[in-house]
Amino acid sequence: MNETVPLEQEVRPLPLDAWHRARGARMVPFAGYSMPIQYEGIVTEHEWTREHAGLFDVSHMGQIIISGPGATKALEALLPANLAILKPGRIRYSLLLADNGGILDDLMITNVGTGDDETFYLVVNGATKHDDITHIRAHLPESLSFTYMMDRALLALQGPEAAAVLDGLFPGISGELSFMQSTSRTWNGAAIGIGRSGYTGEDGFEISLPATIAEEFATALLADERVKPIGLGARDSLRLEAGLPLYGHDLDTVTDPVSADLTFALSKQRREEGGFPGAERIAQLLADGPPAKRVGLEFEGRLPAREGAAVFAGDNEVGTVTSGGFAPTLGRPIAMAYVDIAHTEPGATLSVQVRNRRLDAKVVPMPFVPHRYYRAGAGK
């Protein structure tokens, strides 16, 4: 492959590091970066995003451009997505899979090509981006161009007022984009990529922009009284309420798409035709059913079950919590867990070991809080 930017060797601070600190953010190490965990408090920020618009800095994530003749087929050999039918300006959630069907990472992929140009924009998790880059580079033809966009920041504007706020900077953009669609704009002379997506369950946008203008752009968004900066703490409680898995917790190289309840990421044609890593094992899991599955759990009281807590059916240990916490929107604890398939039906009663207590739990459908993505023609 042609490499337009060398692989990053050292961890760097986020482009908005000083901006966060100036606004009172409490910073914590995460994925090799010092990240804002909270400003006013996790619950306050969570509720603000549910009611208004929260601005998240997700610049730690990896942004990659892959282009060239044959890019579509080459990427389909790595991902179970049907990229041949992905129209320009459309986004898909997909999975980077190992040969045994284990999940190396989950990612967003956007067709940013025009005409016959095959160009795709990928956003991968911050904690895995270096391994992802190495893996992808090793499995793509040398003829393709690979660009790791080290000089870009990534912001997420999420919440029911996000569209109106962004319309203030880019008039008409809320009407132009539906959920999982993308476009580009110019702001103060710089090219900005905008996708109507996010990982909070709310309507919103992810905005890729040059790191050199990230502070100026974030400040322009914050000038709107409907916007507040939001930390990673609220991002995690929002994505948990949305039933969205977090890589490294709910997904890893041991889990597969079927057990993880992510079969929507396996397009029908790709399931039938295979041709991606782990296709044979995944087809067997689809046919036979997985031995365990990711489910939602709800609890009474206020004590949350955290990652690693054992799940029981009677006296039998049948699973493990992978994400858990208190859900501000629901006013009670919730969790995601992998549970033996015999105990995954909604309504099944289980218990979870928390310290020296067994907490009663009930299997419930996910998402815990309905998604509010904007789909044109379907309302919010």
Side-chain angles (χ1 to χ4, degrees):
M1 287 170 289
N2 299 321
E3 298 177 359
T4 56
V5 177
L7 181 65
E8 182 183 51
Q9 296 296 325
E10 297 180 358
V11 171
R12 302 185 305 168
L14 292 176
L16 284 175
D17 186 86
W19 189 90
H20 293 307
R21 296 178 190 276
R23 285 157 182 79
R26 184 162 73 85
M27 309 295 281
V28 299
F30 179 80
Y33 291 90
S34 182
M35 302 283 293
I37 186 72
Q38 60 176 305
Y39 296 83
E40 299 179 69
I42 291 174
V43 172
T44 299
E45 293 167 31
H46 180 110
E47 292 174 343
W48 182 269
T49 305
R50 285 275 185 236
E51 297 171 3
H52 303 287
L55 180 61
F56 301 81
D57 184 357
V58 288
S59 299
H60 63 300
M61 302 183 79
Q63 302 181 67
I64 300 166
I65 292 284
I66 296 170
S67 64
T72 304
K73 282 193 173 298
L75 283 168
E76 283 192 344
L78 289 177
L79 308 173
N82 191 347
L83 300 178
I85 63 169
L86 186 64
K87 296 179 180 178
R90 298 297 192 269
I91 307 168
R92 287 289 181 274
Y93 173 86
S94 193
L95 301 164
L96 191 63
L97 298 171
D99 290 339
N100 66 355
I103 300 172
L104 299 173
D105 199 7
D106 61 341
L107 56 88
M108 293 286 198
I109 182 166
T110 306
N111 183 349
V112 293
T114 56
D116 295 330
D117 172 38
E118 298 180 54
T119 302
F120 294 91
Y121 165 68
L122 283 70
V123 177
V124 301
N125 281 295
T128 55
K129 64 183 177 184
H130 298 302
D131 287 342
D132 291 351
I133 288 169
T134 299
H135 179 84
I136 294 170
R137 279 175 163 167
H139 289 81
L140 290 183
E142 292 286 336
S143 58
L144 295 181
S145 173
F146 183 106
T147 303
Y148 171 32
M149 305 168 76
M150 296 172 61
D151 57 348
R152 304 286 287 190
L154 188 65
L155 303 177
L157 186 67
Q158 302 279 289
E161 295 183 331
V165 170
L166 205 59
D167 259 345
L169 292 182
F170 305 112
I173 197 162
S174 64
E176 177 182 338
L177 294 182
S178 186
F179 180 58
M180 299 299 268
Q181 294 183 0
S182 76
T183 188
S184 61
R185 288 288 192 277
T186 299
W187 190 80
N188 284 359
I192 293 178
I194 303 170
R196 197 160 195 167
S197 63
Y199 220 62
T200 63
E202 290 289 336
D203 180 29
F205 303 84
E206 291 200 344
I207 304 156
S208 172
L209 68 169
T212 51
I213 64 166
E215 279 199 17
E216 188 180 5
F217 188 80
T219 301
L221 287 174
L222 214 60
D224 191 310
E225 63 182 10
R226 294 168 291 190
V227 180
K228 284 187 176 183
I230 307 296
L232 282 177
R235 179 177 172 83
D236 193 53
S237 57
L238 288 160
R239 73 91 195 162
L240 179 59
E241 287 186 349
L244 300 171
L246 180 63
Y247 195 83
H249 300 265
D250 312 294
L251 308 176
D252 56 30
T253 56
V254 176
T255 57
D256 63 84
V258 185
S259 303
D261 198 23
L262 297 177
T263 52
F264 72 91
L266 312 168
S267 67
K268 182 174 183 293
Q269 182 177 343
R270 299 306 311 281
R271 292 188 206 183
E272 293 173 351
E273 296 179 356
F276 56 87
E280 186 174 340
R281 180 189 174 211
I282 289 169
Q284 197 67 49
L285 288 166
L286 286 168
D288 299 341
K293 189 175 178 182
R294 181 173 63 94
V295 299
L297 299 176
E298 277 191 355
F299 304 82
E300 299 297 330
R302 299 183 69 83
L303 186 62
R306 301 296 186 184
E307 181 180 359
V311 181
F312 290 85
D315 292 330
N316 297 320
E317 186 171 340
V318 296
T320 305
V321 169
T322 50
S323 286
F326 191 81
T329 306
L330 301 173
R332 58 179 175 271
I334 58 175
M336 288 191 273
Y338 281 86
V339 173
D340 289 352
I341 198 68
H343 305 284
T344 56
E345 283 297 315
T349 55
L350 301 169
S351 63
V352 177
Q353 187 75 36
V354 177
R355 301 173 190 165
N356 60 348
R357 297 175 55 186
R358 288 276 180 91
L359 303 180
D360 292 337
K362 182 174 68 175
V363 176
V364 296
M366 292 190 287
F368 299 97
V369 174
H371 297 161
R372 298 201 290 185
Y373 305 136
Y374 172 76
R375 291 181 169 85
K380 291 184 178 179

